[in-house]
């Protein structure tokens, strides 16, 4: 099981990756750095919270794990 610190670091790195991707997509579709960046920022916050909660939920589910 991952520690909370590991989950936090994974969440931050995943969020940064998503932020860059969403900024590029937002800019491509809108032509505006401000609007594309705003979309990316909102997506990053929502994605960070969702990912952290999702990881913690699955950390408490034993299904599919092998116990050594």
């Amino acid at each position: 099981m991952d520690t909370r610190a590991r989950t936090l670091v994974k969440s931050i790195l995943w969020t940064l990756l998503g932020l860059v991707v969403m900024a590029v997509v937002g800019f491509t579709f809108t032509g505006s750095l401000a609007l594309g960046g705003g979309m990316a920022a909102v997506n990053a916050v929502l994605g960070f919270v969702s990912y952290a909660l999702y990881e913690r939920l699955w950390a408490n589910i034993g299904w599919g794990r092998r116990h050594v």
Side-chain angles (χ1 to χ4, degrees):
M1 176 163 59
D2 286 350
T3 64
R4 287 175 193 227
R6 179 180 167 91
T7 299
L8 180 64
V9 170
K10 287 171 60 178
S11 298
I12 290 169
L13 293 175
W14 181 252
T15 298
L16 290 175
L17 177 61
L19 182 66
V20 170
V21 170
M22 187 62 191
V24 170
V25 170
F27 175 72
T28 301
F29 278 91
T30 66
S32 166
L33 286 175
L35 187 55
M39 291 169 55
V42 169
N43 184 65
V45 170
L46 293 174
F48 176 80
V49 172
S50 298
Y51 183 80
L53 292 173
Y54 179 81
E55 282 288 315
R56 294 316 302 162
L57 174 70
W58 273 100
N60 293 310
I61 297 173
W63 177 80
R65 288 189 179 158
R66 293 185 179 167
H67 299 290
V68 181

